[in-house]
Amino acid sequence: MIVRIDIDNTDGELFEYRVTDQAEELYGDTALDSFVECLVAAIEGMAPHMVAAEIAYRGVVSGTYPLTVIGMSIDQVAEHAMNTTAAIEEAMGGR
């Protein structure tokens, strides 16, 4: 199963995430300190049949990754997602 991890930081400081399967929320958490902390928490909560995740930051999808790739390259996955969102928001005239 491929799930989606939606990460946001609406207040500009603390992060929140939710894991969904076809728009059905499976679980999530709020008030986390970083994007990476959200990824770690999201992956730790996944059932064994979940093998990959689509990563979205502030509504912008940056990619779909096997969980093993996220685990081995978590900082790079987080940086890519944040950079992708920043580039899209800049192209759209800011957010």
Side-chain angles (χ1 to χ4, degrees), residues 11 25 28 39-40 46 52 55 85 87-89 92:
D11 70 0
E25 185 167 342
L39 284 178
V40 169
M46 289 189 182
I55 308 296
T85 296
I88 296 296
E89 288 175 350
M92 293 177 66

Side-chain angles (χ1 to χ4, degrees), residues 24-89:
E24 178 186 338
E25 185 167 342
L26 303 175
Y27 58 93
D29 201 358
T30 61
L32 300 172
D33 291 326
S34 71
F35 192 103
V36 170
E37 191 175 335
C38 288
L39 284 178
V40 169
I43 291 169
E44 285 179 346
M46 289 189 182
H49 67 282
M50 298 176 183
V51 297
E54 176 182 76
I55 308 296
Y57 178 50
R58 296 200 306 229
V60 177
V61 175
S62 61
T64 304
Y65 307 91
L67 296 183
T68 55
V69 170
I70 296 171
M72 292 186 315
S73 306
I74 199 160
D75 290 327
Q76 291 87 349
V77 170
E79 184 176 349
H80 180 257
M82 294 171 72
N83 289 342
T84 299
T85 296
I88 296 296
E89 288 175 350

